[in-house]
Amino acid sequence: MRIRDLDDKARSARQKAADLGPDIDLDSYTIESPPHEAISDLARLSDGDKERMLLAGIESDTGERSGSYIQKDGVPVFTASLQEGLEIVPIREALEKFDWLADYYWKLIDVDTDKYTARARLDLHNGYLIRALPGARITFPAQACMYLEKDGFSQNVHNIIIAEEGSELHVITGCATAAHVSSGIHVGISEFYVKKNAKLSFTMIHHWAEDVAVRPRSAGIVEEGGLFLNNYICMKPVKSLQTYPRTSLVGKGAVARFYSLLVGSPGGELDAGGGIDLKAEDTRAEIISRAISNGGNILARGDLVGEVPGARGHLECRGLILNQGMIHAIPELVGKVDGVEMSHEAAVGKIAQEEIFYLMSRGLTEDEATATIVRGFLSVDIPGLPAPLQKEIDRAVDMSREDLL
Amino acid sequence: MLVIEDLQVMMGDKELLKHIDLEIRPGETHILFGPNGSGKTSLIMTIMGYPQYRVTYGKIYFKGEDITNMPIDERARLGIGMSYQRPPSIKGLKTRHMVEICAGDGADVDSLAGRINMNSFLDRDINVGFSGGEIKRSELLQLMAQKPDLLLFDEPESGVDLENIVLIGNMINELLERDNTPTKDKSVKEIKKARSRMGLVITHTGFILDYVTADQGQVLYDGVLACKSNPVEIFKQIKSVGYEECVRCGSET
Ligand SMILES: Nc1ncnc2c1ncn2[C@@H]1O[C@H](COP(=O)(O)OP(=O)(O)OP(=O)(O)O)[C@@H](O)[C@H]1O
Ligand SMILES: [Mg+2]
């Protein structure tokens, strides 16, 4: 579809509320980005920015990163690839430069899905293309940061991530706000392409402010023998989050695993989950989520659809209510043919008193015992995730544990 | 020293323990026998401080302090520790971390684990999917790190295989400082005198008696503590005439 047609289609959805999540008045946010100067080196970021970005897993010391993309409000301020075979290009530039990108832009998500997709097309600021060339093994993570510096800003981005045939790519995306920002909205489209025998891990850490609304719109496709690991961590206060990435496994033996860690703080509304469609033989899918309500409301969704014999999927949804709030686990399984194997496990509750006493009898105070159990609850081993990324996840978990108690 | 005076414990409106008196002096180890449901676990959970066991009468003193209403963690810090009959499992908490918690300030977890065949469990979540015998070893490992002054063992050898029972028995013996072998510098008498750890061990099988020389045995029967005597004798009695008869004989003497 040509850009003009996309725009027409988007316009028709300008006012269209989303199926899920509270409706947001987009007009109450500005789309005028202040100018930001490009920087030549991440070390040049202000200490305040560095600190906030680090909270979302973005390192200004890039020793353990294969490349970086940093966007402040609507403006890319830094783009660099440090490894051969890795391309990182701001999406606007990429759309002009690469004709082939038209085959990937708005291909997995309909531009008229809702007002957020419409905005991401019609008022697009920027975003990134991150691509591992065929056969490239990009073992250090590439990092991308979406930073909100202007209060009341609507940040509209579009990202395309491509792991070409036989490649390996790890991406960490950190979304954060500057310390003074309290409100804003982030509208982010992400399209993931995992080609034949490629491996892509995508870890997103959200570290927003209390009054920020977040509407990601993501979708992925995994070809034969491909592996897509998708981790989502949102443990800091946020006003409203609604996300429901959908991934299709279209090639034989394709595998997708989604992990999410969510904390709902007082006043927060989180509606998060994901769906995986198993469309080819020997495909495997796993969705694992851990949700803690610390006074907020959380809807934890998960949906597996088995369409061919031999498809296997497992969904695990565990919720912990710490200080009131609500958790609603909605695990769904659909088997469309004979011979699919799908299961789910869901549990919502509070911390078992018995576990607290057990730890107290080993010398911990009640608070220490609670903290230890919460840490355990949030610790999921993610096989195949490089150590620096596991480190970032652990850091986020440790920080949130401090907040919770 | 642990002193229990005229202790009555209720759960709901059920009286689990009826006017228990018990004294364990520094260096002493007692064995507790009794049929299923007689209140043995209730007694040690009460000593540990589990609030669902409501103390409605009597007192518990430890090291001279009245601990009757003390929270569990304070009792632990005062030097009481227990090996559970059925501990909970905690997802996401590695056994290694649990042992570190028990040790408080630093322990060589690997070498401790090596002593009771637990190395391969350190990176598993505590008690999750452990077999019956493995749980007993995991509990013991935690106490080895915790090193409490009063050790409460709730059936430490139930379900443990013959090879591991040797390990467990010897380790409990060591923890309770029961080894009486005289050395050049120390006579048996001196060893006994230097001993300060206290123990209360619940057993059905009596296997533990092959490894631990205990000072005293008692039978808990329907919430009543009876029959203080030599533990090996008591065990023989129970085997030959049963608990009920054993208790009757105990109350007659
Ligand atoms: N939560 C509870 N509700 C009702 N009764 C209980 C509860 N917990 C324990 N009891 C009862 O208290 C009694 C004593 O139990 P306890 O666990 O102390 O027995 P025990 O001597 O350790 O037995 P065993 O040898 O089988 O381990 C039993 O009759 C048991 O059913
Ligand atoms: Mg018992």
Side-chain angles (χ1 to χ4, degrees):
Chain A
M1 201 183 294
R2 288 175 321 168
I3 294 291
R4 193 171 342 129
D5 300 328
L6 273 175
D7 284 352
D8 287 343
K9 213 171 153 197
R11 259 180 227 108
S12 71
R14 268 272 195 214
Q15 304 300 329
K16 188 174 166 190
D19 290 341
L20 304 174
D23 192 37
I24 289 170
D25 176 15
L26 288 177
D27 295 334
S28 62
Y29 301 92
T30 173
I31 56 169
E32 289 306 319
S33 176
H36 290 287
E37 278 199 22
I39 50 172
S40 55
D41 185 340
L42 287 187
R44 288 229 142 94
L45 285 164
S46 75
D47 287 346
D49 288 349
K50 280 183 196 164
E51 199 181 304
R52 300 291 295 180
M53 288 181 190
L54 189 60
L55 295 174
I58 303 302
E59 305 262 1
S60 53
D61 172 0
T62 52
E64 287 191 333
R65 297 290 184 263
S66 55
S68 302
Y69 172 85
I70 312 285
Q71 177 174 333
K72 280 188 170 183
D73 299 321
V75 185
V77 295
F78 183 78
T79 305
S81 164
L82 303 174
Q83 199 174 331
E84 209 172 312
L86 173 68
E87 285 180 352
I88 305 182
V89 186
I91 200 80
R92 281 182 167 279
E93 184 185 328
L95 283 167
E96 276 171 28
K97 226 159 116 180
F98 308 125
D99 288 338
W100 55 262
L101 196 55
D103 294 336
Y104 296 83
Y105 183 62
W106 290 111
K107 288 302 172 204
L108 301 179
I109 301 165
D110 288 325
V111 72
D112 60 353
T113 303
D114 54 36
K115 58 163 88 167
Y116 312 104
T117 54
R119 170 161 283 202
R121 173 55 226 144
L122 298 171
D123 304 312
L124 177 69
H125 291 116
N126 223 314
Y128 54 78
L129 163 70
I130 296 183
R131 175 172 177 241
L133 298 183
R137 302 218 157 263
I138 315 296
T139 47
F140 278 128
Q143 62 180 6
C145 181
M146 297 297 171
Y147 198 63
L148 274 183
E149 196 167 289
K150 183 180 166 64
D151 206 30
F153 185 63
S154 170
Q155 185 180 51
N156 314 319
V157 303
H158 196 129
N159 308 315
I160 294 177
I161 299 94
I162 305 171
E164 296 286 359
E165 191 169 326
S167 69
E168 175 175 346
L169 174 62
H170 302 275
V171 178
I172 179 166
T173 290
C175 297
T177 48
H180 64 270
V181 168
S182 65
S183 98
I185 182 168
H186 172 84
V187 176
I189 308 300
S190 300
E191 297 181 275
F192 300 95
Y193 296 87
V194 182
K195 302 284 182 73
K196 193 173 168 185
N197 297 326
K199 174 178 174 183
L200 170 65
S201 86
F202 186 82
T203 300
M204 185 184 274
I205 299 182
H206 276 177
H207 199 281
W208 302 107
E210 258 167 67
D211 232 351
V212 172
V214 189
R215 290 293 181 272
R217 294 289 176 263
S218 313
I221 188 164
V222 186
E223 295 179 5
E224 184 180 332
L227 167 66
F228 181 28
L229 257 182
N230 191 345
N231 308 312
Y232 179 58
I233 289 106
C234 182
M235 303 203 290
K236 282 288 167 177
V238 61
K239 184 170 82 179
S240 171
L241 160 73
Q242 189 272 313
T243 177
Y244 198 81
R246 188 128 217 137
T247 285
S248 292
L249 306 180
V250 298
K252 185 177 178 192
V255 177
R257 295 204 300 263
F258 288 11
Y259 298 84
S260 60
L261 305 178
L262 306 168
V263 173
S265 301
E269 297 278 344
L270 279 66
D271 182 336
I276 302 175
D277 299 298
L278 297 95
K279 293 169 180 280
E281 56 178 316
D282 292 334
T283 48
R284 304 271 173 279
E286 187 175 51
I287 299 180
I288 291 183
S289 82
R290 297 276 186 276
I292 293 185
S293 171
N294 190 27
N297 292 337
I298 302 179
L299 272 97
R301 298 175 193 273
D303 181 26
L304 295 176
V305 181
E307 301 185 11
V308 290
R312 280 201 278 155
H314 182 68
L315 213 157
E316 184 187 307
C317 221
R318 291 175 60 205
L320 193 62
I321 299 174
L322 260 196
N323 301 313
Q324 280 141 10
M326 185 210 64
I327 296 176
H328 185 171
I330 312 175
E332 292 181 89
L333 302 177
V334 182
K336 293 192 174 172
V337 287
D338 261 10
V340 295
E341 220 179 282
M342 292 191 298
S343 57
H344 83 72
E345 230 181 293
V348 174
K350 61 182 175 89
I351 293 183
Q353 188 68 260
E354 198 194 11
E355 295 175 20
I356 294 182
F357 287 159
Y358 188 41
L359 288 165
M360 286 173 74
S361 76
R362 302 302 187 214
L364 297 188
T365 63
E366 188 169 353
D367 286 349
E368 289 166 343
T370 307
T372 303
I373 294 165
V374 167
R375 183 70 179 80
F377 178 82
L378 289 172
S379 84
V380 286
D381 293 328
I382 303 176
L385 195 67
L389 292 183
Q390 186 66 53
K391 195 178 81 189
E392 297 301 347
I393 292 177
D394 290 344
R395 173 167 32 205
V397 169
D398 285 336
M399 261 181 335
S400 96
R401 189 181 64 162
E402 284 165 20
D403 291 354
L404 285 169
L405 301 157
Chain B
M1 179 148 86
L2 174 77
V3 179
I4 297 180
E5 278 178 11
D6 204 8
L7 188 73
Q8 184 193 42
V9 169
M10 312 265 299
M11 179 174 286
D13 50 13
K14 186 173 173 185
E15 187 181 17
L16 299 183
L17 298 174
K18 304 169 184 170
H19 305 283
I20 305 277
D21 289 300
L22 176 69
E23 225 178 86
I24 303 179
R25 279 189 278 268
E28 278 183 7
T29 288
H30 292 214
I31 307 286
L32 189 61
F33 302 96
N36 294 140
S38 58
K40 302 179 299 298
T41 296
S42 308
L43 176 60
I44 68 167
M45 296 288 261
T46 305
I47 298 171
M48 192 72 243
Y50 274 70
Q52 57 265 49
Y53 296 91
R54 242 175 344 111
V55 176
T56 47
Y57 199 86
K59 294 276 181 205
I60 308 173
Y61 300 93
F62 183 61
K63 294 184 177 171
E65 260 191 78
D66 180 351
I67 62 164
T68 318
N69 296 306
M70 194 182 262
I72 298 175
D73 56 323
E74 286 177 32
R75 296 187 202 208
R77 287 194 291 273
L78 199 59
I80 302 179
M82 73 178 278
S83 158
Y84 289 71
Q85 183 175 10
R86 272 190 306 265
S89 48
I90 302 179
K91 279 199 188 156
L93 175 61
K94 300 279 177 252
T95 301
R96 175 185 298 283
H97 186 190
M98 185 63 165
V99 177
E100 285 163 359
I101 286 171
C102 292
D105 48 355
D108 186 346
V109 178
D110 293 278
S111 77
L112 279 182
R115 302 189 59 195
I116 51 162
N117 252 336
M118 282 296 286
N119 293 88
S120 57
F121 294 83
L122 292 176
D123 294 315
R124 278 175 63 175
D125 292 354
I126 185 76
N127 300 337
V128 175
F130 286 18
S131 75
E134 289 162 0
I135 284 203
K136 300 295 171 184
R137 261 145 67 211
S138 145
E139 287 293 297
L140 184 55
L141 175 60
Q142 293 172 54
L143 286 187
M144 286 158 66
Q146 196 178 350
K147 299 204 205 83
D149 301 316
L150 169 62
L151 295 101
L152 308 166
F153 287 100
D154 198 344
E155 299 189 29
E157 85 284 53
S158 294
V160 176
D161 66 52
L162 289 173
E163 277 171 31
N164 278 301
I165 212 154
V166 181
L167 279 180
I168 283 196
N170 288 331
M171 185 49 67
I172 293 178
N173 203 44
E174 185 183 321
L175 277 179
L176 291 171
E177 307 168 320
R178 303 308 296 181
D179 192 358
N180 283 344
T181 322
T183 61
K184 254 207 283 211
D185 323 314
K186 274 191 181 158
S187 67
V188 172
K189 201 173 160 193
E190 281 169 325
I191 290 173
K192 281 190 177 172
K193 235 180 129 183
R195 177 149 89 198
S196 67
R197 291 260 177 85
M198 293 160 265
L200 182 60
V201 186
I202 297 174
T203 181
H204 285 298
T205 64
F207 288 148
I208 199 71
L209 301 173
D210 298 340
Y211 303 91
V212 178
T213 54
D215 302 287
Q216 211 178 79
Q218 347 229 354
V219 180
L220 188 62
Y221 193 82
D222 195 18
V224 178
L225 203 51
C227 194
K228 293 191 180 79
S229 173
N230 176 300
V232 180
E233 304 266 301
I234 294 184
F235 188 59
K236 274 193 197 141
Q237 283 272 327
I238 295 171
K239 273 206 285 199
S240 61
V241 297
Y243 288 108
E244 195 175 354
E245 203 54 36
C246 177
V247 170
R248 189 154 56 175
C249 126
S251 50
E252 276 162 10
T253 51

